[in-house]
Amino acid sequence: MKLKQRLVTGLIAGVFFLGVLILGGYLFTALIMGLAVIGFDEYMRMLKLKESRILYLLGLIGVIIIGVPWHQFGIEQILSWEKIIWMFMLLFLFTTVVTKNKVSLNQAGLVFIGIVYLGLGFHYIMETRLLDSNGLFWTSLVLIGIWSADSGAYFGGVLFGKHLLWPAISPKKTYEGAVGGIILAVIVSLIFSYFKPELLSIRDAIILGVVIAIIGQVGDFIQSAYKRTYGIKDTGALLPGHGGVLDRVDSWLIVFPFVHFLGLIPHL
């Protein structure tokens, strides 16, 4: 029954997401920002800080301000990224003062990390889709690269896995599985290069595939680590059989900013 539920939920969610991804525009932005808000709520629940209204409200505002691609609405970003992030850091530190230390420095710091992690992660997912007429190409490449790396790691581990990669964090992942994930992600990138060589050279496709696979697994390890820290299996229950938003997009939140920062895909 659980397997059937998982398959049905995955199919419906996948078809819906694919349709919105193809349409793009404001609809895609609205969907991703909705996921960002839900993801932040899951993050605060995990930290057991949702009852702290000041942290929750400040964090939610931070995720929205950092996450929204304001230029899509004709609003240019007034402040630079470093100024925005610094100002939110100051606000979170100041919460420890105005609450007379009822909000601890550790709590403020964790929520601050959350708005950077989620805000920038979801922001660059939207920015990638907004890349001129080629946004669908690049977004699809990164997403399919991540999914193929996950599949390659799974089947590589099942068929050839003997040496555990990081058992303290993720007890089933193996070196052989990681290599399988890299190989499949590179193959997918090369297929995209074959159909659009003017956008992606063979050399860049190989580099991009390797980066997507490795950084995607780093994102997966990060979430495994903090879920173990807080003793939870899933971050939420939005998708029956699949967990919460953060369970589904853990790799996305790391890979999309990373490939932009390295200049592996174009910028707006």
Side-chain angles (χ1 to χ4, degrees):
M1 186 66 181
K2 286 186 177 181
L3 178 59
K4 181 180 179 181
Q5 182 187 55
R6 182 180 175 87
L7 290 173
V8 171
T9 303
L11 180 62
I12 294 173
V15 170
F16 174 74
F17 180 81
L18 181 61
V20 176
L21 173 63
I22 292 171
L23 291 172
Y26 293 114
L27 186 60
F28 184 74
T29 297
L31 173 62
I32 298 302
M33 281 309 304
L35 294 177
V37 170
I38 296 171
F40 176 72
D41 185 77
E42 292 176 356
Y43 184 78
M44 293 297 284
R45 286 177 183 274
M46 180 185 68
L47 297 179
K48 295 181 174 58
L49 290 176
K50 189 173 180 180
E51 300 306 315
S52 176
R53 293 184 180 180
I54 186 170
L55 284 180
Y56 193 92
L57 181 60
L58 187 57
L60 184 60
I61 292 171
V63 168
I64 292 172
I65 289 179
I66 294 173
V68 171
W70 294 105
H71 60 85
Q72 186 182 14
F73 302 94
I75 304 172
E76 296 303 322
Q77 189 172 313
I78 299 174
L79 298 175
S80 63
W81 282 118
E82 61 266 25
K83 290 178 182 177
I84 290 173
I85 291 173
W86 187 88
M87 288 179 68
F88 271 104
M89 180 197 70
L90 177 61
L91 289 172
F92 276 109
L93 290 175
F94 193 57
T95 60
T96 64
V97 177
V98 298
T99 63
K100 299 179 180 179
N101 286 323
K102 289 181 180 179
V103 171
S104 70
L105 183 61
N106 286 343
Q107 291 171 334
L110 286 170
V111 181
F112 173 70
I113 289 173
I115 71 164
V116 176
Y117 170 53
L118 300 174
L120 285 179
F122 283 110
H123 174 86
Y124 278 103
I125 295 171
M126 291 178 282
E127 288 285 18
T128 307
R129 182 61 184 89
L130 290 170
L131 288 171
D132 302 323
S133 60
N134 298 312
L136 181 59
F137 172 87
W138 292 110
T139 309
S140 300
L141 168 55
V142 176
L143 288 175
I144 296 174
I146 291 170
W147 296 332
S148 62
D150 287 343
S151 298
Y154 174 78
F155 288 109
V158 169
L159 295 174
F160 307 106
K162 292 182 179 179
H163 303 90
L164 296 177
L165 182 59
W166 205 337
I169 299 298
S170 188
K172 295 183 180 180
K173 293 188 184 298
T174 63
Y175 283 99
E176 293 82 3
V179 172
I182 292 171
I183 291 172
L184 196 53
V186 169
I187 291 172
V188 166
S189 291
L190 289 171
I191 292 172
F192 273 80
S193 174
Y194 175 80
F195 286 103
K196 286 282 188 178
E198 70 277 13
L199 294 179
L200 184 64
S201 68
I202 292 176
R203 180 186 71 90
D204 289 346
I206 293 172
I207 294 173
L208 192 56
V210 171
V211 169
I212 288 172
I214 292 176
I215 301 305
Q217 291 187 58
V218 169
D220 187 48
F221 275 126
I222 288 171
Q223 191 181 73
S224 294
Y226 68 62
K227 286 198 292 189
R228 280 183 173 273
T229 299
Y230 290 96
I232 60 174
K233 182 179 183 294
D234 296 318
T235 58
L238 178 68
L239 300 173
H242 291 266
V245 168
L246 298 185
D247 295 305
R248 297 297 94 206
V249 303
D250 51 356
S251 296
W252 305 12
L253 295 174
I254 301 298
V255 172
F256 274 94
F258 199 87
V259 295
H260 275 275
F261 295 158
L262 286 187
L264 295 175
I265 61 177
H267 295 277
L268 284 170

